C-alpha cells in the first residue's frame, strides 16, 4: 500500500517550486524593465546579457523560467501594460464634469508615456506572431472600460442610444484609444521640436472632447457641464441601464 502521507509532501514541494519560479520570473522581468528605463536609447535593443547582469542571473538561467526569448519579451510587455492599466484605472472615475473626465484620462496617458518612453517603445514592438499582443489586449480592455463609462454617463443624463448606435460604441471608443496612442507616438517622435507636454495633453484632450460633444449633439444628447458626482443618486445606472433600447433617443 502507498503511504498516504507522501502526497501532501509532494504537493508542498510542487507549490514551493511554482512560487519560486513565479518569484524568479517577476525578478527577471523587473530587472529588464529597469534596464529599459535606464539604459536603452531609441533604436537600441535590450539584450539578455543586460537583463541577466541586472537580475544577477546567469544568461542560460533566464531560460529556466522562460521558454525562449519571445516568451521573455512578451512577459516584459505584459508587465509594462499592467503598469499602464494601473495608472489609468482611477482616471476613468465619473468625477468632475464630463470634460474633466476626458482631460483626466488623456492627460494621465500622455504623462505616463512621457515618463516611460523606453517602456512605451518596447511594448509597441512586434515580438511575437501571436495575436492579440499584450498592447492589443490592453487597448481592448481600455476600450471596454470606456464603453462602461459611456454607458454610466448616458444613464446619469437619462439618455439612451438606439440598438444600432449602441453596437457602434465599442468600435468608436476603440478608435479613440488607438487614435490617442497614435497621436502620442507622433508627438514623442518630434523630439526636441515638439511642443510642451501640458500644451499637447490639453490640445489632444480638447480634440477628443469635441468628438464626444459633437457625437452627443448629433444624437440629441445635451452634455451637462456639472460635476457628475453631484447628479442625484437615484439616477445612478442600474444593471439594465447599459442595455440599448430599440428606438431613438428619449
Amino acid at each position: 500500500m502507498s503511504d498516504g502521507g507522501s502526497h501532501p509532501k509532494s504537493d508542498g514541494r510542487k507549490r514551493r517550486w511554482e512560487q519560486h519560479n513565479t518569484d524568479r520570473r517577476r525578478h527577471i522581468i523587473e530587472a529588464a524593465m529597469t534596464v529599459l528605463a535606464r539604459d536603452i536609447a531609441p533604436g537600441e535593443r535590450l539584450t539578455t546579457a543586460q537583463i541577466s547582469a541586472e537580475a544577477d542571473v546567469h544568461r542560460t538561467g533566464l531560460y529556466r523560467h522562460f521558454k525562449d526569448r519571445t516568451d521573455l519579451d512578451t512577459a516584459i510587455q505584459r508587465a509594462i501594460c499592467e503598469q499602464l492599466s494601473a495608472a489609468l484605472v482611477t482616471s476613468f472615475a465619473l468625477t468632475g464634469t464630463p470634460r474633466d473626465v476626458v482631460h483626466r484620462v488623456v492627460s494621465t496617458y500622455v504623462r505616463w508615456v512621457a515618463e516611460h518612453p523606453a517602456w512605451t517603445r518596447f511594448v509597441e514592438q512586434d515580438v511575437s506572431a501571436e495575436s492579440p499582443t499584450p498592447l492589443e489586449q490592453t487597448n481592448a480592455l481600455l476600450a471596454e472600460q470606456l464603453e462602461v463609462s459611456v454607458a454610466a454617463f448616458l444613464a446619469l443624463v437619462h439618455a439612451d442610444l438606439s440598438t444600432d448606435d449602441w453596437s457602434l460604441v465599442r468600435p468608436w471608443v476603440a478608435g479613440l484609444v488607438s487614435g490617442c496612442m497614435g497621436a502620442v507616438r507622433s508627438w514623442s517622435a518630434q523630439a526636441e521640436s515638439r511642443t510642451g507636454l501640458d500644451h499637447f495633453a490639453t490640445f489632444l484632450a480638447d480634440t477628443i472632447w469635441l468628438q464626444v460633444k459633437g457625437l452627443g449633439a448629433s444624437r440629441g444628447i445635451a452634455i451637462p457641464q456639472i460635476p457628475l458626482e453631484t447628479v442625484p443618486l437615484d439616477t445612478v445606472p442600474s444593471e439594465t441601464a447599459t442595455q440599448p433600447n430599440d428606438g431613438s433617443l428619449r
Side-chain angles (χ1 to χ4, degrees), residues 61-137:
L62 292 176
Y63 298 114
R64 293 177 185 171
H65 308 287
F66 299 90
K67 293 184 295 185
D68 51 29
R69 180 61 194 261
T70 297
D71 185 36
L72 172 59
D73 286 347
T74 302
I76 296 168
Q77 288 186 333
R78 190 172 294 112
I80 293 172
C81 286
E82 289 171 356
Q83 294 271 357
L84 171 59
S85 296
L88 284 171
V89 65
T90 57
S91 69
F92 288 108
L94 294 179
T95 57
T97 67
R99 187 173 183 273
D100 290 338
V101 176
V102 171
H103 275 252
R104 185 169 62 243
V105 173
V106 173
S107 179
T108 299
Y109 176 71
V110 171
R111 293 178 188 283
W112 189 92
V113 170
E115 292 170 4
H116 307 94
W119 288 3
T120 302
R121 290 192 299 270
F122 188 83
V123 82
E124 291 177 344
Q125 292 178 14
D126 185 9
V127 302
S128 171
E130 295 183 7
S131 183
T133 66
L135 183 58
E136 289 170 341
Q137 291 175 327

Side-chain angles (χ1 to χ4, degrees), residues 186-199:
S186 178
W187 170 77
S188 299
Q190 292 178 349
E192 297 301 324
S193 64
R194 69 190 183 198
T195 187
L197 185 150
D198 289 341
H199 184 78

Side-chain angles (χ1 to χ4, degrees), residues 16 52 54 67-68 74 103 117 121 139 144 149 151 178 210 247:
R16 286 194 295 273
S52 59
E54 183 69 26
K67 293 184 295 185
D68 51 29
T74 302
H103 275 252
R121 290 192 299 270
N139 288 352
E144 182 178 343
S149 296
S178 61
L210 289 173

